[in-house]
Amino acid sequence: MSTVTTKAKLKTSAMIASFADPGQKTTSAPFGHALVKAAEADSRIVGLTADLGKYTDMHIFAKALPERFFQMGMAEQLLFGAAAGMAETGLIPFASTYSVFAARRAYDFLCLDIAEPNLNVNIIGGLPGLTTGYGPSHQATEDMAIFRGMPNLTIVDPCDSVDIEQAVPQLAASDGPTYLRLLRGNVPTVLDEYDYTFELGKAKVLRGGNDVVFVSSGLMTMRALQAADALAAHNVDVAVVHTPTIKPFDSATVLAELNTGRLAVTLENHTVVGGLFETVASAVVTAGLGKRVVPIALPDQFLDAGALPTLHERYGLSVDRIVAKVLAELG
Amino acid sequence: MAAPTPERVDRIRAAAYRIRHYALTMGEVQGQGYVGQALGAADMLAAVYADQLTYRAEDPHWEGRDRFLLSTGHYAIGHYAALAEAGIVPVTELETYGSDDSRLPMSGMSTYTPGMEISGGSLGHGLTIAVGMALGLRLQGSASRVINFLSDGELDEGSTWEAAMGAHHHQLGNLTAMADINALQADGATDTVLRTEPVTEKWESFGWYTQRVDGNDVGALLAAFDNIAARSAASGQPSVILCDTKVGRGVPLLETREKAHFMRIEEHEWQICREQLTAGYEGTASA
């Protein structure tokens, strides 16, 4: 008779793990479907990818409009150079790859071929920040820091499927290049519960609160809202300001919220260097507010591989860690 | 394929002579610069602008135009000379080359100059953009062609080969590349910096219709373009003309000078350059 031993199941990393909570309402491939819808209304819209169509939801577009989809192979310099060339002929390209490859590998092509001539090319970056447990090769923890220095480029860090669905047609309609930090696959649907619409270049106050003000972007707005609910149980009243457009930044809306006696916290799925925190800090200093701002962000280091929930907990992006940080700050 | 007629060849040689002359005019403003490259590439530029391209000088953005992309931004001095020959840039404006507020900066940029399709200069970009333009034009039913000018130094860049693969994969028969093989790059002779040969075999293996010609032989250049015209529409195959050229071509003083990426020419030498250029052109015009 053999002895059966059961080992505890290990949490494993997956390239494209969803960060949705168990049971959370989600929407499938919002970017792909939104792009098809936009393209059906505007024949100038085309889609390109660099061998990552299936992993950036571009495959939805490729299937729906195959004659307007262009596979460029695993060649990111060609992807963005060609996107520029297509825009020069009057088309509106959406070109997708992972954020790491757009930001690190193809920067020169984005900068000189797309941003300098101010072309309407929309760069779609998958796996922004810490949305894969695959390790530093695929974790674009510094993409916004890299891109914020690029003139003409609009940077959008959407929270959820609502943001993405509403952003896509606005990105197509806006002159000049944009960078979208893509959330793909089964994307949480969060902002439909609020009186909210995405407006390119605008920050929105999602909820008011007397003790703390959160300024957040990307998936951290979802966490900010969850943490605000959790903090209510501690009798802490939290406001949440969502800033999906990182550049150009809606300083007016954010500074109006920060220029109060409340504890100010920024929350971002990005390194603490060069992202939302420093964007807000710059706005605060420029306005002469003299206001302390507490960052919740990824540390300035190459991150571990592993399961996303483990890593979000480890690096302070989980709701529990946010709540603990705020309570500690409030003393 | 019939050889290009003597009248056609003479017409393009005359255009090349004027392009060289304009390049010297611009070079003298700065006292130095990429004059050697401009002189070397003048026949290629003349064949493109005076024989091949469809364009409207008074409307450089006309939708039906063929696109000529200067990937090698530093060859702008030669490109401006060709744009002057084409009537797109006034000849009188050439003397502003490289000066403050000029529309003719040292490195070619689309936002500065009418007729300049792209901002080259960061090398290895032009062919990637050309692939996108060729795709975009084809998608929109345009019969316009795309010609991308690149250099042998740019064959060092991996992006050039990404684009070469992409053009073949997407069967871009409306795309032609011209490579100026002057065997010289910034740090010295190409074969000492990074060996790119065998260049012909490389392009052939990437699926391109490949011809290698003397890039200072106008007749050979025109014949190469004629060969492309005779087949590309049916083949869907991108074409490349590999052009062996001589730095400083047409001006013996510069042809024989030690080769340099950025050539210094003394004040008193400019007139000698012009005289040598004219003597050479007139002496062989009827040959």
Side-chain angles (χ1 to χ4, degrees), chain B residues 4 31 38 52 77 105 109-110 117 135 161 176 182 211 224 228 253 283:
Chain B
Q52 289 292 310
I77 182 172
M109 287 185 275
S110 61
E117 297 281 358
L135 282 168
W161 300 107
T176 297
N182 62 14
Q211 301 176 84
I228 292 167
L253 178 73

Side-chain angles (χ1 to χ4, degrees), chain B residues 10-284:
Chain B
D10 282 348
R11 189 169 56 79
I12 306 312
R13 285 190 68 250
Y17 165 71
R18 287 189 292 273
I19 287 171
R20 289 189 166 95
H21 203 79
Y22 297 149
L24 290 173
T25 300
M26 282 180 275
E28 189 170 10
V29 173
Q30 294 289 329
Q32 58 186 353
Y34 304 104
V35 174
Q37 289 89 335
L39 294 172
D43 299 301
M44 298 165 67
L45 293 164
V48 168
Y49 273 92
D51 189 80
Q52 289 292 310
L53 285 190
T54 299
Y55 63 92
R56 290 179 180 169
E58 72 287 0
D59 183 11
H61 296 290
W62 171 53
E63 208 174 277
R65 73 191 184 282
D66 291 329
R67 271 66 167 179
F68 176 79
L69 313 189
L70 185 73
S71 187
T72 49
H74 59 291
Y75 278 62
I77 182 172
H79 196 184
Y80 300 148
L83 291 171
E85 170 64 20
I88 296 170
V89 168
V91 173
T92 51
E93 194 172 335
L94 297 178
E95 62 188 22
T96 69
Y97 169 68
S99 303
D100 290 348
D101 303 321
S102 171
R103 296 196 301 174
L104 312 177
M106 291 280 273
S107 188
M109 287 185 275
S110 61
T111 44
Y112 280 62
T113 315
M116 188 67 77
E117 297 281 358
I118 64 165
S119 299
S122 179
L123 300 176
H125 284 233
L127 198 58
T128 68
I129 302 171
V131 166
M133 279 192 187
L135 282 168
L137 291 168
R138 186 174 70 185
L139 179 69
Q140 294 169 90
S142 169
S144 297
R145 293 185 301 158
V146 180
I147 299 177
N148 180 63
F149 183 104
L150 72 165
S151 66
D152 53 350
E154 285 192 283
L155 304 184
D156 293 1
E157 298 282 2
S159 53
T160 296
W161 300 107
E162 290 185 12
M165 274 191 285
H168 175 246
H169 178 80
H170 288 285
Q171 299 187 297
L172 298 177
N174 56 348
L175 172 61
T176 297
M178 302 180 83
D180 177 22
I181 304 180
N182 62 14
L184 179 69
Q185 48 194 112
D187 262 351
T190 298
D191 62 0
T192 65
V193 176
L194 186 65
R195 253 192 320 279
T196 50
E197 296 288 357
V199 173
T200 306
E201 290 81 353
K202 280 191 175 70
W203 285 96
E204 283 175 343
S205 74
F206 275 70
W208 286 55
Y209 172 54
T210 306
Q211 301 176 84
R212 188 162 187 165
V213 302
D214 177 349
N216 294 126
D217 179 340
V218 167
L221 284 165
L222 296 178
F225 274 115
D226 289 349
N227 289 337
I228 292 167
R231 68 192 300 285
S232 65
S235 71
Q237 190 181 20
S239 300
V240 61
I241 308 175
L242 304 170
C243 304
D244 290 293
T245 65
K246 192 169 192 177
V247 173
R249 175 73 181 198
V251 178
L253 178 73
L254 303 180
E255 285 182 16
T256 54
R257 179 165 290 187
E258 186 185 0
K259 287 192 173 181
H261 181 66
F262 200 76
M263 205 174 257
R264 175 80 208 171
I265 298 169
E266 300 303 324
E267 205 174 324
H268 70 278
E269 292 178 325
W270 292 99
Q271 186 55 32
I272 298 171
C273 289
R274 273 190 285 271
E275 287 167 4
Q276 289 188 346
L277 173 65
T278 300
Y281 171 68
E282 289 178 347
T284 57

Side-chain angles (χ1 to χ4, degrees), chain A residues 46 67 70-72 75-78 81-82 85-86 88-89 91 108-109 112-113 116, chain B residues 111 117 119 122 124-125 128-129 131-133 135-137 139-140 159 162-163 166 170:
Chain A
V46 292
E67 73 286 356
F70 299 90
Q71 173 62 263
M72 304 315 290
E76 292 79 12
Q77 298 174 110
L78 172 61
M86 295 176 98
E88 294 277 10
T89 70
L91 298 172
D108 194 33
F109 291 73
L112 294 173
D113 304 341
E116 195 270 336
Chain B
T111 44
E117 297 281 358
S119 299
S122 179
H125 284 233
T128 68
I129 302 171
V131 166
M133 279 192 187
L135 282 168
L137 291 168
L139 179 69
Q140 294 169 90
S159 53
E162 290 185 12
H170 288 285

Side-chain angles (χ1 to χ4, degrees), chain A residues 151-240:
Chain A
N152 291 341
L153 183 69
T154 294
I155 301 172
V156 175
D157 189 21
C159 164
D160 72 342
S161 66
V162 174
D163 258 349
I164 290 172
E165 286 164 0
Q166 296 182 7
V168 166
Q170 293 182 43
L171 299 179
S174 75
D175 292 333
T178 67
Y179 169 61
L180 177 71
R181 299 186 94 208
L182 177 71
L183 305 172
R184 52 78 58 199
N186 292 321
V187 176
T189 302
V190 175
L191 296 176
D192 60 334
E193 303 287 332
Y194 296 83
D195 179 20
Y196 173 81
T197 53
F198 174 88
E199 277 184 80
L200 193 59
K202 296 290 183 195
K204 297 286 176 79
V205 180
L206 297 177
R207 57 176 280 171
N210 293 318
D211 303 317
V212 179
V213 55
F214 283 169
V215 177
S216 60
S217 70
L219 70 89
M220 289 307 287
T221 291
M222 177 181 92
R223 296 276 162 79
L225 292 166
Q226 292 165 327
D229 285 343
L231 284 161
H234 296 272
N235 296 316
V236 177
D237 195 15
V238 181
V240 176

